[in-house]
């Protein structure tokens, strides 16, 4: 059981971020997103030179005041300079859910500009540590061919094992968990509606085995709701998933003002 280094300091998640001092917090995979999942990732994308577009769809009547406009859907889309990869902030756009949590970021890539369809997509809910999503995007941006696999699945498990995570005793080549058995990463059947180049992923019958992709999630207590979840389509290159996994499992502390209620008692923290 992990305990606060400074128990007298409050990290009440009900307090607005601006009203809290900053803390160095660990482990990262339980530290949440500090309610800055958009800002932190968007800053990374801006630094990489990606273009951001705000897409608003709604109904506007003649002579209608701007504040009365009925906005039906609104998203923010970030596109790489070569237009082969993009990241979409879905939280304000009636997002669908993963593990009963709203998906915040959807990140996709295609093999060439002749096709409008993504070769693969990955999905991240709220409270996924923003550092892990940002590192995934940095690795994606550095790739010349974002849809071409360069390594095998063992790379993902090696990444978390290097930070002390334990391989699953029954699936040592397909799953691992952190030492407290709270966060998990597993190569298995992809949830429904996860977009991938293999269109069969959308048409799998209930009694058929679907395509295999990486899934990650944190479950603060047995049977409790998930804190966060991430899903990677079957065609997401393993080295990109490994970049996410390495960042997620990193032992380096992260800066937080707000932490999740479900994991606050498991966190080590020190004033920044």
């Amino acid at each position: 059981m992990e305990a606060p280094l400074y128990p007298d300091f409050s990290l009440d998640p009900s307090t607005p971020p601006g009203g809290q001092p900053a803390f160095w917090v660990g482990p990262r995979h339980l530290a949440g997103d500090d309610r800055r999942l958009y800002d932190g990732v968007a800053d990374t994308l801006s630094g990489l030179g990606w273009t951001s577009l705000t897409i608003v769809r709604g109904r506007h009547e003649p002579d209608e005041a701007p504040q009365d406009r009925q906005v039906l859907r609104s998203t923010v889309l970030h596109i790489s300079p070569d237009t082969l990869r993009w990241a979409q902030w879905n939280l304000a756009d009636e997002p669908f859910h993963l593990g009963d949590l709203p998906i915040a970021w959807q990140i996709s890539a295609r093999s060439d500009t002749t096709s409008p369809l993504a070769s693969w997509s990955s999905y991240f809910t709220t409270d996924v540590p923003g550092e892990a999503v940002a590192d995934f995007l940095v690795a994606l941006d550095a790739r010349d061919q974002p849809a071409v696999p360069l390594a095998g699945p063992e790379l993902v498990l090696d990444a978390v094992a290097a930070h002390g995570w334990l391989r699953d005793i029954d699936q040592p080549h397909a799953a691992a968990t952190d030492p407290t058995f709270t966060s998990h990463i597993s190569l298995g059947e992809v949830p429904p509606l996860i977009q991938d180049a293999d269109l069969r992923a959308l048409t799998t019958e209930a009694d058929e085995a679907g395509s295999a992709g990486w899934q990650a999630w944190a479950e603060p207590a047995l049977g409790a709701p998930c804190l966060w979840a991430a899903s990677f389509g079957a065609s997401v290159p393993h080295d990109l998933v490994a970049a996410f996994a390495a960042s997620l499992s990193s032992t380096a502390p992260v800066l937080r003002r707000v932490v999740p209620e479900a994991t606050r008692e498991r966190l080590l923290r020190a004033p920044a």
Side-chain angles (χ1 to χ4, degrees):
M1 179 66 70
E2 296 174 342
L5 290 177
Y6 293 83
D8 294 334
F9 287 89
S10 170
L11 277 175
D12 183 0
S14 65
T15 303
Q20 287 281 21
F23 285 77
W24 290 110
V25 172
R28 180 179 299 190
H29 58 90
L30 299 180
D33 61 15
D34 204 28
R35 297 181 184 169
R36 295 189 70 256
L37 188 54
Y38 176 76
D39 293 334
V41 174
D43 287 347
T44 296
L45 293 173
S46 177
L48 293 173
W50 290 34
T51 299
S52 63
L53 304 170
T54 300
I55 304 170
V56 178
R57 292 182 287 276
R59 183 168 58 249
H60 185 66
E61 301 295 338
D63 302 323
E64 184 180 32
Q67 64 269 22
D68 295 330
R69 181 179 180 184
Q70 298 181 43
V71 176
L72 302 181
R73 296 169 68 85
S74 176
T75 63
V76 182
L77 184 66
H78 299 257
I79 306 173
S80 66
D82 61 7
T83 71
L84 291 179
R85 51 214 105 192
W86 58 95
Q88 183 171 325
W89 175 252
N90 289 326
L91 205 56
D93 191 27
E94 302 174 10
F96 65 93
H97 287 64
L98 182 65
D100 292 327
L101 296 170
I103 290 173
W105 281 104
Q106 176 180 341
I107 299 170
S108 307
R110 56 182 175 173
S111 56
D112 59 72
T113 57
T114 62
S115 172
L117 300 177
S119 297
W120 57 258
S121 291
S122 55
Y123 304 81
F124 306 89
T125 71
T126 53
D127 272 326
V128 173
E131 295 84 359
V133 181
D135 287 341
F136 176 81
L137 282 161
V138 170
L140 172 61
D141 183 79
R143 262 175 155 263
D144 291 332
Q145 297 177 300
V148 177
L150 297 179
E154 194 70 15
L155 193 65
V156 178
L157 298 175
D158 287 345
V160 295
H163 294 147
W165 284 35
L166 309 173
R167 290 175 183 258
D168 187 280
I169 191 170
D170 296 320
Q171 305 177 76
H173 302 294
T177 183
D178 80 285
T180 65
F181 302 97
T182 303
S183 297
H184 313 265
I185 190 164
S186 176
L187 180 62
E189 185 174 347
V190 175
L193 302 180
I194 299 302
Q195 297 180 17
D196 199 76
D198 185 355
L199 296 181
R200 290 174 297 178
L202 297 177
T203 60
T204 302
E205 299 294 336
D207 58 347
E208 295 178 341
S211 53
W214 288 100
Q215 316 302 314
W217 68 97
E219 188 178 18
L222 187 63
C226 287
L227 172 64
W228 57 261
S231 182
F232 302 86
S235 298
V236 178
H238 298 296
D239 59 292
L240 295 181
V241 183
F244 170 82
S247 182
L248 178 72
S249 60
S250 172
T251 57
V254 290
L255 204 60
R256 293 288 186 270
R257 295 181 184 274
V258 179
V259 297
E261 177 69 33
T263 59
R264 59 183 302 183
E265 298 303 324
R266 292 175 174 264
L267 295 170
L268 294 165
R269 55 188 185 263

